[in-house]
Amino acid sequence: MTGTVIVGGGLAAVRTAEQLRRNGYAAAITIIGAEDRPPYDRPPLSKQMLRGEVDDVALKPAGFYEDNGIGLRLGCRALGVDVSAHTVTLADGEVLGYDQLVIATGVAPKQIPSFGELGGICVLRTFDDCVALRSRAAGARRAVVVGAGFIGCEVTAALRAAGVAVVLVEPQATPLASVLGEQVGALVTRLHQAEGVDVRTGVGVASVAGSGRVESVTLSDGSVIPADLVVVGIGSHPACDWLADSDIEVDNGIVCSAVGRTSAPDVWAIGDVACWDGVRVEHWSNVAEQAKLLAAAMLDLEAVPAAGVAYFWSDQYDVKIQCLGHPMPGDTVHLVRDDGRCFAGYYERDGVVVAAVGAGIPELVRTARGKIAAGAAITEVLQPA
């Protein structure tokens, strides 16, 4: 028996291994990680670590893996899977057999190929990306952040804290418009403008220029912005290109059942790379529940999906933006508090409260959890206490 091989060295891999051991799985577990460091937590990369507040973001203490009989193969990328032979081929040429395979490779940041190889152009996904960006930010004076999603907004806040002048560029009408809608996105714009950020929306990047290193960015409206640092945060795509010849079904990530089972026998997928029952979720808080269900299914144990409410957060300056539920850009937003910096509101769809957002007002988000889970009428959260 060759046990379980988990490809991917992040949170989803660790949670899966943990749940298997908790459920009594005694066979070998091996985690294959492309990076040369033990699994670490990614959210701090664009927050505390980029701001220089922490350097250790390891998910588990050094002895955890040995104590739990979990093998780590680090700095070795998986290149392909033979589902018939039950093998994984690694970049160093080794072929590993498996009884069960769990794919937890996450997502990869989208690039802008036309930017070429100029120095000073960064993305932020890995530990090494963060170290490089933090180093470059220390010597930068003017930065352009391309993309005002969560990564772009958090990087912008970190750069401003370091004293770097920032132009934040977003093709949509507001930052976070596709996630929180334009009304709340306008409040996020206000937050960044109050910190001195030049927010340019409804415009994209046409080109970059420089001699060896980036010196300027030209936007699609023709304006030219001097810059010695450019950070690209235009989203990500599921990291499953390496499965192209594997016969594992892929469509917006790896296609899975509601417990993570893929189209191939004895192959499972979890986390950002996995599209469970038609839905792919890139939230940190989603992984723990998935790991419980996947491990139980692998071991033929019963597991009942928790009736949870999706949760995600973003730290920007001194404000923590928290969101419960699944807001959509077309929802009606009821703003219930706004002091000019912090705000809170509820999202309504067809008369029902489907989400809550709070920036610096956590109590109004917490109290909405039960109402969102119950599909309560919007009037139930809008009525004064």
Side-chain angles (χ1 to χ4, degrees):
M1 298 290 286
T2 51
T4 293
V5 172
I6 304 173
V7 179
L11 178 70
V14 172
R15 290 287 184 265
T16 300
E18 218 172 12
Q19 286 300 319
L20 286 171
R21 289 293 187 237
R22 286 181 181 176
N23 282 282
Y25 184 75
I29 298 176
T30 304
I31 293 176
I32 308 296
E35 297 179 62
D36 59 1
R37 64 184 63 252
Y40 58 86
D41 206 12
R42 292 189 189 276
L45 299 185
S46 58
K47 305 175 180 72
Q48 299 96 322
M49 186 173 170
L50 187 55
R51 296 195 299 263
E53 298 166 4
V54 300
D55 286 306
D56 183 4
V57 291
L59 282 166
K60 294 292 182 182
F64 167 83
Y65 302 98
E66 183 177 353
D67 292 346
N68 288 275
I70 300 169
L72 291 180
R73 294 286 303 273
L74 303 176
C76 197
R77 188 176 300 277
L79 295 184
V81 177
D82 185 329
V83 298
S84 297
H86 276 51
T87 59
V88 177
T89 300
L90 305 182
D92 62 4
E94 184 175 0
V95 178
L96 291 181
Y98 65 82
D99 295 319
Q100 303 281 342
L101 173 65
V102 180
I103 301 171
T105 45
V107 294
K110 293 179 180 177
Q111 308 275 359
I112 302 178
S114 62
F115 279 13
E117 299 297 326
L118 281 180
I121 298 177
C122 306
V123 295
L124 179 56
R125 173 63 184 172
T126 69
F127 186 98
D128 289 345
D129 290 341
C130 183
V131 171
L133 177 54
R134 195 166 72 179
S135 174
R136 287 167 179 154
R141 292 183 299 147
R142 299 179 298 247
V144 172
V145 176
V146 184
F150 284 117
I151 293 294
C153 286
E154 289 170 1
V155 167
T156 294
L159 292 175
R160 287 299 298 133
V164 180
V166 181
V167 177
L168 178 58
V169 179
E170 171 54 56
Q172 297 187 84
T174 70
L176 299 174
S178 62
V179 182
L180 299 176
E182 293 182 13
Q183 183 177 346
V184 173
L187 302 179
V188 176
T189 300
R190 182 184 68 186
L191 174 64
H192 285 277
Q193 289 175 331
E195 297 291 337
V197 177
D198 181 356
V199 181
R200 310 278 185 100
T201 57
V203 66
V205 173
S207 63
V208 294
S211 179
R213 292 187 58 83
V214 65
E215 296 172 7
S216 67
V217 176
T218 300
L219 302 185
S220 56
D221 62 3
S223 56
V224 179
I225 303 169
D228 46 25
L229 175 63
V230 173
V231 184
V232 179
I234 57 172
S236 57
H237 58 85
C240 50
D241 292 349
W242 63 287
L243 300 172
D245 299 321
S246 68
D247 295 326
I248 296 172
E249 185 179 359
V250 173
D251 184 8
N252 182 31
I254 300 171
V255 176
C256 300
S257 71
V259 292
R261 193 187 305 272
T262 74
S263 60
D266 304 317
V267 179
W268 311 75
I270 182 172
D272 296 355
V273 74
C275 187
W276 279 34
D277 210 16
V279 179
R280 191 171 65 84
V281 178
E282 293 186 26
H283 297 326
W284 186 93
S285 57
N286 182 60
V287 170
E289 177 64 18
Q290 283 192 338
K292 292 177 184 177
L293 295 172
L294 186 151
M298 279 181 62
L299 302 176
D300 293 321
L301 302 174
E302 273 194 50
V304 178
V309 176
Y311 170 75
F312 54 93
W313 78 98
S314 176
D315 294 332
Q316 299 178 32
Y317 309 104
D318 59 340
V319 176
K320 181 180 288 292
I321 300 174
Q322 298 172 288
C323 184
L324 282 172
H326 292 285
M328 297 180 66
D331 294 340
T332 299
V333 179
H334 300 268
L335 200 63
V336 294
R337 192 177 301 180
D338 182 8
D339 68 4
R341 185 174 181 84
C342 297
F343 58 85
Y346 302 109
Y347 290 75
E348 173 194 352
R349 194 180 311 144
D350 299 325
V352 172
V353 57
V354 293
V357 65
I361 308 177
E363 63 276 10
L364 286 182
V365 177
R366 285 196 302 267
T367 56
R369 183 182 294 272
K371 300 293 186 184
I372 296 169
I378 189 66
T379 52
E380 293 188 33
V381 295
L382 295 180
Q383 289 172 347

